[in-house]
Amino acid sequence: MKATPEATVFRNLESARDKFEPCELAIGNFDGVHIGHQELIRRTVTSASANDLVPAVLTFDPHPAAIVAPERMPLAIVSLAERLRLLSVLGIRQILVLPFTAPVARMTPEEFVKDVLAGPLRARAVFVGENFRFGAHQAGNAATLRDLGEAFGFATHFLPPVVYRGEVVSSSATRRHLLAGNVDRAARLLGRCFSVKQPVVQGHGIGSKQTVPTLNIKPAPGQVLPRGVYVTETVDTDDARRWPSITNCGVRPTFGGDEVTVETYLLGPLDGETPKHIEVQFRHFVRPERAFPDAAKLKEQILRDVAKAQTYWRRAAGSGTRLLRYT
């Protein structure tokens, strides 16, 4: 399979100046890179190709809420690195990750267009959702951007929200489903399974001695994490080995834990070295996490969970269907 070219990533305006090629530009936070984001990106890439321009993205780090409303700072669906990777896979070739600072937050709509979009980024067309707001106190809207685009020489394109089975697709909706444990619905909005990627860490040794051996990872700080027990697929990100699995996300209440961990039991043989880095892809909710009287009772429940996961995978194999996975 032909490798997907990686986008060139700029981490500030100065590094982009004189190096960011004339482009058609999609703007957004793109947390999750859900199917609504994907449609915006698809339109940008298609139009840029037709006009012999570079498809590009302007995104922000940290999330603007971290500066303007820290108390409303949302949990991240994907890491910044994963966000950039997914945008590259979709065909974006240059990305500015604009550090969202207090001075950026104070920019007027006209300053934002003049000093960012039309200046260093050399935008020839801008693609945003129709509810796009920008500038200090979100003073700019679609009409503002259209007028400024005419003044500064770029076209503007406003896309309506993508709706999936009566629900507007958004990062907040995806986040809400994940926090409720509804990973199936979240996957439909994402166009792929929600997943967590981290290095494998040493566990407490209880599983290998008293219950079942697991691969353990710690979720990244600030990332949304569905709590409970799930049917999952575990991927060794270093060599692409895959295993059906059952995963517990929580604090291990049976053993008095207080730190959130992700513990994954592989349903197939390891056949080789223990992975050093894994991605856990969430497929289906099994049950909430709860405390058991002792390790023996917990092990009995884990074996019942394993049986449910095996049934899930047998049915999935029989149906021949899999969720979209782009890597």
Side-chain angles (χ1 to χ4, degrees):
M1 182 181 295
K2 187 177 180 180
T4 302
E6 291 188 7
T8 301
V9 178
F10 301 89
R11 300 286 176 165
N12 54 58
L13 275 175
E14 285 308 309
S15 66
R17 199 178 304 276
D18 300 326
K19 295 180 181 178
F20 214 83
E21 298 181 46
C23 65
E24 300 210 8
L25 183 74
I27 305 174
N29 291 311
F30 299 110
D31 186 22
V33 195
H34 55 60
I35 59 175
H37 296 144
Q38 292 169 36
E39 177 61 16
L40 184 68
I41 297 302
R42 185 191 66 79
R43 292 280 298 273
T44 305
V45 170
T46 300
S47 181
S49 177
N51 293 309
D52 198 27
L53 291 164
V54 179
V57 154
L58 167 61
T59 191
F60 307 94
D61 185 57
H63 191 287
I67 301 300
V68 301
E71 71 282 0
R72 297 201 302 272
M73 175 70 177
L75 295 170
I77 299 170
V78 297
S79 66
L80 175 61
E82 182 68 358
R83 194 190 334 165
L84 300 179
R85 187 187 73 83
L86 292 171
L87 291 169
S88 289
V89 169
L90 290 168
I92 293 299
R93 291 295 160 259
Q94 55 186 7
I95 302 171
L96 171 61
V97 181
L98 183 64
F100 199 88
T101 60
V104 171
R106 290 193 295 267
M107 278 185 167
T108 66
E110 183 171 356
E111 288 171 337
F112 180 75
V113 167
K114 176 172 64 73
D115 297 338
V116 180
L117 306 187
L121 301 193
R122 296 194 279 180
R124 301 295 184 262
V126 171
F127 290 77
V128 293
E130 63 183 17
N131 61 350
F132 179 69
R133 303 299 294 261
F134 68 107
H137 307 294
Q138 297 189 326
N141 56 20
T144 312
L145 185 63
R146 182 182 293 110
D147 292 343
L148 288 170
E150 291 176 359
F152 284 91
F154 58 81
T156 49
H157 303 274
F158 305 97
L159 275 66
V162 170
V163 177
Y164 176 80
R165 294 189 177 180
E167 180 177 30
V168 173
V169 178
S170 67
S171 299
S172 57
T174 304
R175 200 175 291 114
R176 184 173 64 252
H177 289 306
L178 290 171
L179 290 172
N182 190 356
V183 297
D184 307 67
R185 181 70 175 189
R188 299 304 174 188
L189 302 191
L190 289 170
R192 66 187 187 281
C193 292
F194 169 76
S195 67
V196 178
K197 291 183 180 180
Q198 288 292 318
V200 174
V201 298
Q202 184 70 37
H204 294 271
I206 296 174
S208 59
K209 296 177 182 177
Q210 300 184 46
T211 55
V212 296
T214 59
L215 298 176
N216 303 324
I217 60 177
K218 292 182 179 180
Q223 182 175 21
V224 65
L225 187 71
R227 300 284 286 268
V229 178
Y230 296 85
V231 177
T232 55
E233 186 171 18
T234 299
V235 182
D236 182 339
T237 57
D238 293 320
D239 65 12
R241 289 180 294 170
R242 293 180 176 273
W243 300 269
S245 51
I246 188 88
T247 298
N248 180 82
C249 300
V251 297
R252 304 167 56 255
T254 301
F255 304 106
D258 57 7
E259 183 181 23
V260 176
T261 60
V262 179
E263 300 175 307
T264 296
Y265 174 66
L266 304 182
L267 302 182
L270 189 58
D271 290 338
E273 294 184 0
T274 300
K276 293 181 173 60
H277 306 86
I278 60 174
E279 176 183 13
V280 180
Q281 301 175 351
F282 289 72
R283 295 276 178 165
H284 184 69
F285 176 77
V286 176
R287 64 172 176 84
E289 184 184 46
R290 65 184 180 90
F292 289 85
D294 51 44
K297 292 296 183 183
L298 173 57
K299 184 174 182 178
E300 289 176 9
Q301 181 61 58
I302 291 173
L303 296 178
R304 289 193 289 271
D305 297 338
V306 166
K308 290 181 180 179
Q310 290 170 332
T311 298
Y312 172 93
W313 284 109
R314 281 195 301 270
R315 290 175 177 170
S319 68
T321 59
R322 296 179 74 86
L323 280 171
L324 167 70
R325 179 195 293 130
Y326 57 93
T327 58

